Amino acid sequence: MKLFALVLVACVGCRGSGRAEDRELAEFRDAYPESASPTGVVRSFDLVAAPTTLPLVDGKQLEVWAYNGQVPGPTLRVKLGETIRVRFTNKLPQETTIHWHGVRLPNAMDGVPHITQKPVQPGETFTYEFTPKDAGTFWFHPHVRASEQVERGLYGVLVVEDPTPPPYSRELVWVVDDWLLKDGAIYPEFNTRHDLAMDGRWGNAITINGRTDTVVKVQPGERLRIRMLNSSNGRVYAPDFGELDARIIAVDGLYLRAPIDVRGFELAPGNRIDVDVTFDKSAETPFEVIDRFFAQRPNTLARFAVEGALVTTPSFPSPARATVPRWADALSAPIAHTFTLDVKSGGPFGISWTIDGMAFMGHEHAMPPAATLTRGQFVRLHFTNASPRIHPIHTHGMFFRLLARNGQPVDEPFFRDTVLIHAREEIDVGVVPTDAGTWMLHCHILEHAEAGMMTTIDVVEPR
Ligand code: C2O
Ligand code: CU
Ligand code: CU
């Protein structure tokens, strides 16, 4: 495991200067590896994106766009250290790319059209190959016209397994999505004035793995790991497991310092949580998982039917990450950049979502980076949401830790790649970028992103 030797050596000279950034970097140094450690094993997959018809939502046939003929697409599984090679073929009527959300990988494999690669035209093939640096729950989706392509069904989960996976009775992958349907079809207008002015496209059917009627049969005593992903364009979920003993062990792929209660976690578009849930031996009632993002309008996401013979509950401590820095005095570090999130009229949609006053006019019109960061150094970034809407802000190629909301310190015991910023809220985050390149930073409400709320940050080598 290669850590931040280079940067730490460079820091000997600045010892004693007492800079908060240096203390935060020292605290970070064992949090996660700087580089991948490839074992030499290559896992190859073929992915084809194409229109198809599938029994989805309530089981009626629905015309969708799918990876390998399924929605969600196939769950790709590799072990940490294995190299993933995906031969991708585009059979859509539009150009596309695949972005590997949350994965720390070489910039050229990030799937951002015109910035890291040419878009993959209909009929063309492109091979993605990289070795993930982190075990965890990640996902993949197009980065071209995402508000349409993701909504039509193009997304899938990438699981990078621990070298020794914890011995859960079973593992489930739950992709939570919502669909805007009209007359049994995907509502064919995208980026509507309403979606753009509000919090994106919120659907009228909420599904787990494409179905509204999810019932999971479990045996009393079972202990499950549920990998949950929110692939919705705009909807936020606050999953509530009710009476069940359920805890979050990972956020956005990475284990927490220690597990936390699921209740109250805002699963915004792009976010993942891994939930550790045990079914009590005496439990006989059916259980429901309910979304309570709007307390007055709960949505049932899934049900558990407990039945069958008692099984022995696997007994092991919930997996955790040894080092998640507290960065207790990070708020005394200078702000490297303030990103101002706002809205203005004009632009191709009549309304533009902006970062620092600028609307990103498509990946093909490169704009200067909003900020330039140095690889291997700690920075504090500030976000001011000047708008009355919510923005789940996502960074490519790096994890950050939330430091404060509206100036109040928060000690989230985990890293993230996506954080929900509420209306008119300000937040601070700390980040140590580990990979040089041009990385996107954008709102994961896909309509906001499409209408301009995207920018880039450049990560450069230390001088
Ligand atoms: Cu899932 Cu650019 O994001
Ligand atoms: Cu991403
Ligand atoms: Cu937004």
Side-chain angles (χ1 to χ4, degrees):
M1 204 191 263
K2 272 210 289 165
L3 299 170
F4 288 82
L6 184 131
V7 176
L8 289 174
V9 171
C11 253
V12 171
C14 55
R15 195 168 45 193
S17 67
R19 298 196 320 156
E21 306 91 287
D22 299 332
R23 288 194 296 274
E24 308 314 5
L25 180 62
E27 193 188 358
F28 169 80
R29 90 179 174 271
D30 296 322
Y32 44 72
E34 178 181 11
S35 320
S37 307
T39 57
V41 177
V42 179
R43 298 270 168 227
S44 296
F45 302 93
D46 285 306
L47 272 186
V48 179
T52 188
T53 303
L54 290 169
L56 289 171
V57 187
D58 53 4
K60 292 199 197 79
Q61 296 295 323
L62 189 65
E63 284 179 35
V64 294
W65 292 358
Y67 289 122
N68 294 3
Q70 47 183 113
V71 176
T75 296
L76 309 182
R77 270 181 195 271
V78 296
K79 267 203 185 307
L80 185 63
E82 292 178 347
T83 298
I84 174 165
R85 181 181 296 155
V86 175
R87 196 168 162 273
F88 170 63
T89 305
N90 179 11
K91 294 191 177 167
L92 301 172
Q94 297 174 0
E95 59 182 31
T96 190
T97 57
I98 300 183
H99 166 59
W100 306 91
H101 180 129
V103 182
R104 295 190 295 137
L105 41 55
N107 197 230
M109 293 292 114
D110 200 41
V112 179
H114 304 287
I115 292 178
T116 70
Q117 68 169 101
K118 288 213 285 291
V120 186
Q121 299 300 327
E124 282 184 358
T125 284
F126 185 91
T127 300
Y128 294 93
E129 183 170 330
F130 53 90
T131 311
K133 299 181 183 186
D134 306 292
T137 307
F138 304 100
W139 67 300
F140 54 95
H141 63 76
H143 227 276
V144 175
R145 297 172 67 148
S147 58
E148 172 176 0
Q149 295 190 4
V150 174
E151 179 68 9
R152 287 191 187 276
L154 291 171
Y155 46 77
V157 170
L158 167 63
V159 173
V160 182
E161 287 175 349
D162 290 309
T164 322
Y168 286 96
S169 314
R170 248 194 304 163
E171 188 176 299
L172 305 176
V173 173
W174 279 5
V175 181
V176 191
D177 194 7
D178 69 340
W179 304 76
L180 185 61
L181 302 175
K182 199 179 171 218
D183 306 325
I186 292 175
Y187 186 69
E189 282 170 47
F190 297 93
N191 309 311
T192 64
R193 188 72 200 210
H194 171 273
D195 298 347
L196 285 162
M198 310 298 280
D199 299 318
R201 174 165 165 138
W202 288 48
N204 48 18
I206 297 174
T207 58
I208 298 254
N209 299 340
R211 300 291 298 236
T212 49
D213 53 1
T214 300
V215 180
V216 180
K217 288 189 181 136
V218 293
Q219 287 171 261
E222 272 198 288
R223 182 171 175 188
L224 308 187
R225 175 183 192 148
I226 307 178
R227 299 177 184 264
M228 284 181 91
L229 152 70
N230 180 0
S231 69
S232 308
N233 283 30
R235 187 184 288 270
V236 183
Y237 306 87
D240 181 350
F241 283 67
E243 297 302 297
L244 285 169
D245 173 19
R247 283 163 299 166
I248 297 177
I249 52 167
V251 171
D252 291 347
L254 303 185
Y255 289 133
L256 279 63
R257 190 190 297 140
I260 55 168
D261 198 335
V262 182
R263 214 161 289 129
F265 189 91
E266 294 170 329
L267 190 71
N271 276 138
R272 288 87 65 213
I273 50 174
D274 289 36
V275 180
D276 180 335
V277 54
T278 298
F279 291 85
D280 197 82
K281 298 204 177 353
S282 59
E284 270 163 23
T285 42
F287 292 98
E288 292 195 325
V289 182
I290 295 173
D291 157 43
R292 298 195 191 278
F293 184 65
F294 292 115
Q296 305 311 313
R297 278 179 284 148
N299 303 296
T300 299
L301 301 177
R303 295 184 170 81
F304 292 106
V306 187
E307 55 186 55
L310 223 87
V311 298
T312 313
T313 304
S315 158
F316 56 92
S318 291
R321 176 167 293 273
T323 306
V324 175
R326 284 172 201 275
W327 286 343
D329 57 357
L331 292 173
S332 59
I335 292 171
H337 187 79
T338 294
F339 297 89
T340 304
L341 315 176
D342 210 348
V343 61
K344 63 182 183 192
S345 57
F349 299 106
I351 178 169
S352 300
W353 288 97
T354 58
I355 298 180
D356 300 346
M358 302 222 280
F360 194 81
M361 281 305 145
H363 296 86
E364 61 271 49
H365 301 108
M367 301 198 308
T372 299
L373 312 180
T374 305
R375 188 178 67 79
Q377 287 184 6
F378 173 90
V379 278
R380 171 190 174 196
L381 302 174
H382 189 81
F383 293 82
T384 300
N385 180 4
S387 81
R389 308 309 315 182
I390 56 173
H391 303 293
I393 290 293
H394 167 55
T395 51
H396 285 209
M398 66 193 81
F399 296 104
F400 53 83
R401 206 178 72 64
L402 184 64
L403 301 171
R405 288 193 186 267
N406 289 327
Q408 292 305 309
V410 289
D411 181 21
E412 287 190 340
F414 50 86
F415 290 100
R416 300 168 161 275
D417 61 44
T418 304
V419 62
L420 186 67
I421 308 181
H422 303 96
R424 310 257 180 228
E425 191 178 45
E426 303 200 10
I427 66 161
D428 289 273
V429 307
V431 59
V432 180
T434 54
D435 295 86
T438 298
W439 301 103
M440 302 299 300
L441 180 153
H442 63 87
C443 180
H444 221 289
I445 290 182
L446 299 176
E447 289 74 16
H448 290 181
E450 208 62 26
M453 196 170 269
M454 292 207 243
T455 190
T456 56
I457 42 185
D458 274 2
V459 176
V460 298
E461 292 295 339
R463 279 185 298 146

